[in-house]
Amino acid sequence: MRNVAKLELPLDQVLVGDCIELIRGLPDKSVDLVFADPPYNLMLDKGTRAGTLRRPDQSVVDGVDDAWDRFADGGSTAESYAEYDRFTRAWLFEARRILKDTGAIWVIGSYHNIFRVGVALQDLGFWMLNDVIWRKSNPMPNFRGRRFTNAHETLIWAARNEAQKTYTFNYDALKTLNDDLQMRSDWLLPICAGGERLKGDDGNKAHPTQKPEALLYRVLVGCTHPGDVVVDPFFGTGTTGAVAKRLGRHFIGLERDETYAGVARARIEAIEVGDDAPLSVTRSKRDEPRIPFGHVVERGLIRPGTMLFDQRRRWGAKVRADGSLVTGDATGSIHRVGAHVQGAPACNGWTFWHFEHQGSLVPIDFYRSRLRAELGAAH
Amino acid sequence: MRNVAKLELPLDQVLVGDCIELIRGLPDKSVDLVFADPPYNLMLDKGTRAGTLRRPDQSVVDGVDDAWDRFADGGSTAESYAEYDRFTRAWLFEARRILKDTGAIWVIGSYHNIFRVGVALQDLGFWMLNDVIWRKSNPMPNFRGRRFTNAHETLIWAARNEAQKTYTFNYDALKTLNDDLQMRSDWLLPICAGGERLKGDDGNKAHPTQKPEALLYRVLVGCTHPGDVVVDPFFGTGTTGAVAKRLGRHFIGLERDETYAGVARARIEAIEVGDDAPLSVTRSKRDEPRIPFGHVVERGLIRPGTMLFDQRRRWGAKVRADGSLVTGDATGSIHRVGAHVQGAPACNGWTFWHFEHQGSLVPIDFYRSRLRAELGAAH
DNA sequence: CGCCGGTATGAATCCCGAC
DNA sequence: GGTCGGGATTCATACCGGC
């Protein structure tokens, strides 16, 4: 029965057109997974000179300003949300319709849109299994120093039905992929750049938001079986299709832009799949926790106001709330202030500075080791 | 004016009662920050644990009275969401009302509720600044192996108003706290355990979802000034109050459970804060007193007629008596002329232009620092 | 071939006070 | 409230050219 339905599907093809119309052409309860990277509705104030974001070296940041990311053009913020909600519920409704009862969905987004996507999923009857954080090892910084570096995106993994307990989850495969540790909900992966990033004829990026294959690899290894059918309603340049082909899964790509679709077809066509070729993917980045001195303060191990001394008590400095040190004539990190008092070009503040404990001096590195041991478990 | 309003506030107190009723007693636009860790509505198997109000660790919030019982009416999933949405919008509406125009809010939650909270924030007119991921270094493993280890919680940071650009963000303090690297949106911190975890008389944990003080430390150091007022509508055992006291901020705690409120009061009372605890943090350059280049000339540090050069001596300009610069085809401020010669849209003249000293080039910012040091010594 | 320095770039809701 | 203009602001990685 399952195979009959599968034969009716446009397997391993890229269909060009409006995703909602195209998805309506697919039969009920016929596919295993939906992976979706919908527009984020960024609402950037571009076009004006004031709206142009520049790096400190004055180069211009090439942000996303494509028509497909604009909702309620020229309207108010509230209209933009409303229009985005209508669009989101429409495609999610169809996505749920075509999923088998055992099916599941993944959606990726940022704080601009992911909360609206999450509510739509819940309201339509999907059942959330996890939210997963893609931590970017090399995100774009915040150039103006007005916010935190936007260093992650959020994925939601949800089963079609609340009652459904038989969604696919290859626990052991993921554990193996993660060096025999249970896979956590935070994934550290680099952004898509370098050789993997597709370029157009002009040498510029072919798509503004191409996702890394490693991200899709983890999703498809973990949540599908070989031969399963994965639908991507926002196919773009076909990362989902490329990884599906490598992993022996079927894909159906829906894409509105003929140029993107063409790039995707060529990309997927070029992939050679050996029968038993080992699959090579970007390995997950190993997370070596760096311990700033500020974390020691923030954790309450050393209080603001505490005096630190060098081994021979020649110099002293007071700890401030943000982990900087103050002496009579200098302020800065443990390293810079250590260098300053000695008149040295550099200094390792971790071994130079000591705190007092029962009359004796202990290097502050004592606390770094402790935090390393504690935080090292999370990778 | 601001102080008059502050005197009317129940500063550094824990008020017991329904948070929506209590918050209605606070005046409009009177507080600087709201930090909230709201309960959430976990919908499990209907009929058994239906609609039970649970926290992210799945502990049950005891429904002693009816504020919470309204969630436990055994309705459908959709009804349960609707009820939760009404509750969320009610307290967020009041939170926004009491915030100053320059105010901001932090809310923490998990995938069960954070999407609904996020949409409510956006719909009420808050403007999202970041979502921040608290990565737990020691999360509870997923024992059944059916999902990813739920290793994070999500915080949303939002300004009261979309147009508001003057929310408090101590960028430089946070950068210092993070070893001089811009703070990212993913924070690695352990869960609250060990000595920090409050225990009841029976030796069990006093509160099921006590947050680590380090989490609040980072929020309050980054997003408030000393003396600011922070409201926590779901005070629990008072982590927000404890950290606020340590950092010299005022708190107002709202808590419906008298037992939690009592634990919180005792906890905060026991905190000793030295008078000289340095609450100051690394200052932003934006806060430094402004020194016009003309003052450098007027003080005779650089004489009219002096030639200035960029670092690589590609361009030169002559200083005039009024502190303007002249090149072959332009005249103006150090910034304007610097931008003009480079063909750049903007330029920081203080770091771009250099004077000659014993054959090498020194940035004119050298003299600005000197004047600022004089001003600092004068007060 | 490797190393080193300069350059390019990534889903971005990115300034603020004085007049 | 609008305009003007001072001057503050970035991290990881890839690529390229020169040596």
Side-chain angles (χ1 to χ4, degrees), chain A residues 168-188:
Chain A
T168 298
F169 185 60
N170 301 317
Y171 176 80
D172 292 301
L174 287 167
K175 192 167 175 178
T176 302
L177 198 62
N178 197 38
D179 285 349
D180 292 329
L181 277 174
Q182 194 172 84
M183 188 75 84
R184 295 169 41 116
S185 58
D186 54 328
W187 301 354
L188 182 65

Side-chain angles (χ1 to χ4, degrees), chain A residues 124-169:
Chain A
L124 287 169
F126 287 97
W127 188 244
M128 278 190 198
L129 297 168
N130 278 112
D131 58 339
V132 168
I133 302 305
W134 169 28
R135 301 176 51 222
K136 302 180 185 183
S137 55
N138 51 346
M140 187 164 71
N142 184 290
F143 296 114
R144 304 303 294 267
R146 294 294 298 146
R147 304 184 179 194
F148 299 95
T149 308
N150 209 336
H152 74 274
E153 294 189 27
T154 300
L155 298 100
I156 298 174
W157 174 39
R160 184 195 195 276
N161 299 323
E162 172 175 346
Q164 191 59 52
K165 306 287 187 201
T166 57
Y167 56 87
T168 298
F169 185 60

Side-chain angles (χ1 to χ4, degrees), chain B residues 171 175 182 333 335-336 348 368:
Chain B
Y171 175 79
K175 189 170 173 175
Q182 188 173 88
S333 72
H335 315 294
R336 292 288 156 192
N348 182 342
R368 182 171 65 164

Side-chain angles (χ1 to χ4, degrees), chain A residues 260-274:
Chain A
Y260 294 158
V263 173
R265 287 191 193 102
R267 170 190 190 177
I268 296 165
E269 181 64 33
I271 293 172
E272 304 274 352
V273 185

Side-chain angles (χ1 to χ4, degrees), chain B residues 24-102:
Chain B
R24 285 190 179 133
L26 299 176
D28 290 1
K29 302 193 177 190
S30 59
V31 309
D32 300 286
L33 193 79
V34 171
F35 182 93
D37 181 12
Y40 78 99
N41 197 8
L42 181 62
M43 278 132 296
L44 294 172
D45 315 88
K46 291 190 190 67
T48 53
R49 288 176 286 177
T52 304
L53 193 61
R54 287 164 187 271
R55 293 191 167 87
D57 71 348
Q58 313 227 345
S59 60
V60 177
V61 176
D62 330 277
V64 182
D65 71 79
D66 334 273
W68 301 123
D69 282 347
R70 284 181 297 155
F71 293 103
D73 58 8
S76 72
T77 300
E79 283 166 24
S80 238
Y81 284 137
E83 187 58 32
Y84 189 77
D85 289 344
R86 276 192 289 278
F87 165 73
T88 301
R89 280 157 203 263
W91 74 260
L92 281 177
F93 178 86
E94 296 298 327
R96 186 158 185 268
R97 182 185 60 75
I98 66 170
L99 279 171
K100 295 177 186 169
D101 280 328
T102 55

